[in-house]
Amino acid sequence: MQIGFAIFNGLTVGMSIFLVASGITLIFGMLRILNISHGSFFMIGAYLAYTIVGTEPDSVIGLAGGALAAALAMAVLGLVINVAVFRRLRDVGEAYSLIATFALLMVCNGLVKAVWGVNYHSVSAPEALAGAISYGGFFAPIYSIAIIGLGVLVFLVLEIVIHRSPVGKIVRAIAHDPWMSNLVGINTPLVYALVVMAAFFLAGLAGGLLLPNQSVTPQLFESYLLQSFMVVIIGGLGNIRGAFLGAIMLGMIEGLNFLFLPRLPGILIYVVLIGFLLWRPQGLFWQPGAQTSDQHEVMTGGVPSSFPPRATKTRIAIGVVLAAVVLSLPEWANQGLLFIVGFALAEAVLALSWNLLFGYAGLATFGHAAFFALGAYLVGFMLRDGGGVPFLVLLAASALVGAASALIVGFVALRRTSGIALGILTLSLGEILRRVINYTPELGSDDGLSGIPRPVVELGLFSVDLTSERAYFWFLAASCGLIALALWAYTLSRNGRILVTMRQDPTRAEFLGIDVRRHRLYAFVLSGAIASLTGGLYAPWAQIVTPDAASYLHSTQPMLNTLLGGSGFFWGPVVGSAIFSALGYATRTFAGLSELISGAVLILVVLAAPGGILGLGAKFGRLRRRRAPTAPDVPAMQRSAP
Amino acid sequence: MLEIQGLDAFYGASHVLQNLSFTVPAAGRVSVLGRNGAGKSTLMKSIMNAGPRVRGRLALDGRDLARIPSFRRARLGLSLVPEDRRIFPHITVVDNMTISAAAAGERVALQPERLLSMFPMLQPLRARYGSQLSGGQQQMLAVARGIAPNPKFLLLDEPTEGLAPVIVDQLATAIVQLCDMLGTGLLLSEQNIWFARRCTSRVHILESGRLVFEGSWPEFDSDPDIKQRYLSV
Amino acid sequence: MIECRNIHKSYGAIAVLKGISISVAQGETFALIGPNGAGKTTFFKVLTGETPANSGSILFKGEEISRLNASARVHRGFGRTFQVARILPGNTVLENLVIAVEARLRNQGHRSGFGLAPGREIVEEAASMARRTDLDDKLHQLASFLSHGDRKRLELGITLSLRPSVLMMDEPTAGMSPSDRRQTIDIILKLRAEEKLTILLTEHDMDVVFGLSDRIMVMNQGEPVAVGTIGEIRTNAAVREIYLGQDDHDA
């Protein structure tokens, strides 16, 4: 009986997810854009419907009417988003389009917080749906039956339209080959717009109809986002049948999880997802054209230089001034600013380590925060409860743990996946870690590890007391600076040149005798080690580490920093993290505003300046230089010989 | 009439076509010969606005095509059969013929039965899926799909590539018959001179993105140097 | 030097190579020709290690290499150029060549020193390779701005910087103008003499094929039609039928 109930509940969850996942599937199937923001549009739909129907809809018609109104509004919004954003994402690389939709997610979430506030609302089901049907001791809430029915209905409609109608032939023709479809006279832009509108309509409809099923909060997007992603990946990107089966599977797995692992809710699905990605990265159903090549990615954002630059006076001066400003901060800045800068330094190094993979090795991962969290929890836990292991040993251990876990993950992941699958795989691993931490009381569960003491470093003859904020800030700033410089040197050496060679043309790299897989793994390990070490440095600074450190939201921070600053420049991530931190600091008192602005800035960067801020600067620099008489260009690399 | 004036085409930073000008009269048949990489495919795609960045004037029956998207150009009466055929794999042979009906615009599209009678080779395959066809069958179907909307000009990009000589022969027969019957203009990019000669009355030679020869077949033959210099097969 | 026996390869149900065997001697230039779809490129990829054969063996200097991946074959002396030149578009000509020279030193087991920048002798070697491939006036140009012919020559320079013992060239003159073509043939001839290269190439242009090769194999539909010297191939009736025959139609 319990099993029956679990299955029924699972189905309800699965069908709810399917309503969102079907929209993601439609958009990916046609436009090859994995719309990360879809969960947020679902949330906006829910808020709109909530605004219309209030907390106690009096009838089924009222609820349905509200949902329909929300759905129509979302369809219009979809049209706008399609013109303003999606249409422009055709010419940018896969990773960039993922990041742009993530930026949309930030804008949506910021908007929701700004318009509706951060409070929690709940909507009750209208009376007609509130009861339950019982049959031989088995209870099924009518509302759940209605959701399951709706899910099946939506599936049937989509199935018939896509696979069994003349319209479907055209739609699938575009999915197979948009270029040729255009040449046979099909108005593909129109079809794209209609598909996006349909997907958004479904998101709005689901948002409205599922109102009684959950509380309406600005976090609503999250569960639907991740779960519908899983459904889409398991089913095979862009395949509606796959998404339907995937949704049912997800529901069943959640049910099993509830039965057998009640202490770790939601973790089984990640395990299954990872198994899936490694076993069948293309999902249950293969969708033609779903695997996108990494060739296109190559030049978006530019390739960072891997040859040592000339040490001009200006460059040295900039470095010295920046170092002086940062190191003198404790003397003049207030505590709030000091904290933000320390935080920004750690984020900057984390972003540098991510860009080693993205900008240099050409690998986009979405779970980088997991390494950071590993280091942070290791050092934080040991400082608090570990009984006197020297701090420097802890830092070394955090780097080693990061390297070792990156070695294991990279060895398996890089062998089996690339592109989107690699992104989702790393994202899932990060979420698993977050959940494990979340349900481990020894690590403080949800509340995190608080009261982490700052250490005193014993160096034999003398000791350095880092317990004061000033002292630890200096230590943190110096460490981050050293790590960044060491990494810079690495990228300017023969190893860096191997990385940019692989990124620009893996095949050419192979035919230069570079074992691409092995060198990608090296980069992965180095990047993981640095991320983890940064976490270790960060823990005593913040004195608290929460499971959010491992969340996918945190994983996206290095990406945002990198793209904003410019992935084609070593120092791009640092610039980006400075700007994002400043933005966050300036807008800290307005709920949602920082997300809104950050998201909007990011979309602009991706659409208008894929080289980031430094890329823009370089462009203007080139223009100026072109006008000025050109100085004879001595090859920079010829000056120094080892 | 298809007019091309001062056409430049670019892929990224590379300047593939340079200042190309020529016209194909209504129902005229012109070959474009040239080596791999001479710019033949780029020319075809430029006319359809299907890839390269283009500068210069393109006009169909006096109507300027600037900025018109490819699906509209198709509806106006230009039909490209691309080099790699691009048969839709998920639908049948007959569906592949009817899917291009969208491109007929105000003209009357050819019915599948009529097309099947022109391409007897496809007759027994009518219910097969695109993915189940051989290279030669795909090429036949690609031409059939291209002619189905009864275009004013058919643009054929290296249709004989990789085909067995027997098939090449059948293809030539079908194309000549169709163009005669429908009064369709033809712009044919080829490396196979024999095939080009069968299908067209004039010949243009592209070399590194420039038009280096333009004339009738007898003119082409009267100067053996041309063949040696630009085509050297 | 290269000994291939009975190579079979199919993609799904389609057999692309139906038992190809060749043997190329040290210092020889061996050309593969045949109509499009004959399987030349696939055979090339099997030889270089980009795609595994279903069956058959490849011996290189007596060593069985058919299980090795591409980079391992490069370590043993393979160099490869592509139909569409594979270069590093975001780097300058000189940087491309420096990276290639460094790669060779790495393959030979030289460790890099403590300096970050490539050593003077590396840069000088790269610059001299640029001279030998007629690119010395474009040292500091980004490779993405090079013309088609320059790219092909740069790729040749990159590949030769590895000092390979066998050079595999897939259509070395594809898409070039006649003058570019002649220049490229001259450079290949010159470099072949200087480096004592063994060359395997595919090519459409018969002038290039006859100008460079010692022996030729004609392929059609995944099978060898004929193997022999230039003279033997020219007079082979079967070859005229399938490949050179287009001229007959023309007459």
Side-chain angles (χ1 to χ4, degrees), chain B residues 46-106:
Chain B
S46 298
I47 295 173
M48 294 305 291
N49 190 11
R53 193 159 49 82
V54 174
R55 221 166 45 195
R57 183 183 141 88
L58 277 167
L60 179 65
D61 295 339
R63 177 174 176 172
D64 194 350
L65 295 178
R67 300 177 64 86
I68 293 183
S70 22
F71 74 89
R72 287 242 153 73
R73 294 190 191 202
R75 292 176 185 185
L76 286 173
L78 295 173
S79 182
L80 171 62
V81 178
E83 193 175 17
D84 44 358
R85 292 147 206 175
R86 303 249 191 165
I87 291 303
F88 293 110
H90 65 294
I91 50 179
T92 62
V93 166
V94 169
D95 282 340
N96 263 290
M97 290 172 174
T98 49
I99 199 165
S100 58
E106 289 152 16

Side-chain angles (χ1 to χ4, degrees), chain A residues 96 560 562-566 599-613:
Chain A
Y96 280 79
L560 306 185
T562 299
L563 285 218
L564 181 63
V601 168
L602 200 64
I603 292 182
L604 272 180
V605 167
V606 171
L607 294 182
I613 288 173

Side-chain angles (χ1 to χ4, degrees), chain A residues 502-520:
Chain A
M502 290 195 303
R503 174 177 167 202
Q504 294 182 74
D505 195 332
T507 309
R508 175 40 74 206
E510 283 283 343
F511 282 101
L512 286 172
I514 297 167
D515 187 334
V516 170
R517 195 186 277 166
R518 180 182 304 172
H519 279 89
R520 281 184 174 160

Side-chain angles (χ1 to χ4, degrees), chain B residues 1-9 16-26 28 30-32 39-49 53-66 73 78 80 153-155 186-189 204 206 209-211 214:
Chain B
M1 187 169 69
L2 180 63
E3 291 168 81
I4 297 167
Q5 263 169 34
L7 186 79
D8 288 276
V16 187
L17 295 181
Q18 299 176 11
N19 198 19
L20 237 57
S21 297
F22 65 89
T23 23
V24 187
V30 171
S31 296
V32 178
K40 303 188 297 295
S41 284
T42 308
L43 171 62
M44 301 303 226
K45 288 174 189 160
S46 298
I47 295 173
M48 294 305 291
N49 190 11
R53 193 159 49 82
V54 174
R55 221 166 45 195
R57 183 183 141 88
L58 277 167
L60 179 65
D61 295 339
R63 177 174 176 172
D64 194 350
L65 295 178
R73 294 190 191 202
L78 295 173
L80 171 62
F153 286 94
L154 185 63
L155 314 178
L186 179 65
L187 189 62
L188 169 72
S189 119
H204 293 177
L206 270 186
R210 289 191 181 80
L211 201 58
E214 186 174 352

Side-chain angles (χ1 to χ4, degrees), chain A residues 199-407:
Chain A
F200 274 63
F201 180 88
L202 283 175
L205 193 69
L209 290 177
L210 296 177
L211 272 181
N213 213 24
Q214 67 252 312
S215 42
V216 183
T217 77
Q219 272 73 50
L220 184 54
F221 74 97
E222 202 174 39
S223 54
Y224 281 87
L225 163 69
L226 289 172
Q227 296 189 318
S228 44
F229 253 50
M230 295 175 184
V231 161
V232 169
I233 299 279
I234 291 176
L237 274 170
N239 187 302
I240 212 84
R241 290 173 186 167
F244 187 68
L245 281 183
I248 293 175
M249 262 179 78
L250 176 127
M252 296 298 111
I253 293 166
E254 291 281 71
L256 286 177
N257 200 146
F258 181 73
L259 277 183
F260 300 113
L261 280 171
R263 285 190 54 234
L264 292 172
I267 206 153
L268 203 54
I269 180 69
Y270 285 100
V271 176
V272 171
L273 179 67
I274 289 171
F276 236 95
L277 284 171
L278 296 176
W279 167 60
R280 254 182 100 85
Q282 73 276 37
L284 279 177
F285 290 90
W286 178 77
Q287 180 73 9
Q291 70 283 55
T292 36
S293 70
D294 17 50
Q295 272 304 304
H296 188 65
E297 208 69 69
V298 171
M299 296 309 282
T300 330
V303 180
S305 168
S306 56
F307 288 89
R310 267 171 296 167
T312 61
K313 277 183 190 145
T314 336
R315 283 176 184 150
I316 293 172
I318 291 175
V320 169
V321 168
L322 277 180
V325 168
V326 170
L327 291 175
S328 68
L329 267 176
E331 300 296 333
W332 53 270
N334 66 35
Q335 220 184 358
L337 183 62
L338 192 64
F339 184 79
I340 292 284
V341 174
F343 181 76
L345 286 171
E347 284 299 323
V349 176
L350 179 65
L352 284 176
S353 73
W354 183 77
N355 197 37
L356 183 72
L357 294 181
F358 182 71
Y360 286 87
L363 301 167
T365 67
F366 275 63
H368 213 55
F371 297 115
F372 181 89
L374 272 183
Y377 268 95
L378 176 77
V379 171
F381 181 76
M382 292 303 285
L383 279 179
R384 201 183 71 171
D385 307 323
V389 183
F391 182 52
L392 295 184
V393 173
L394 286 181
L395 285 183
S398 69
L400 276 178
V401 167
S405 46
L407 181 67

Side-chain angles (χ1 to χ4, degrees), chain B residues 35-36 161 193 197 207 227, chain C residues 36 175 177-178 181 249-250:
Chain B
R35 293 193 177 89
N36 277 339
E161 199 179 326
I193 299 176
R197 196 188 292 275
E207 169 72 32
K227 207 164 114 186
Chain C
N36 282 325
S177 64
R181 222 168 260 244
H249 276 304
D250 197 41

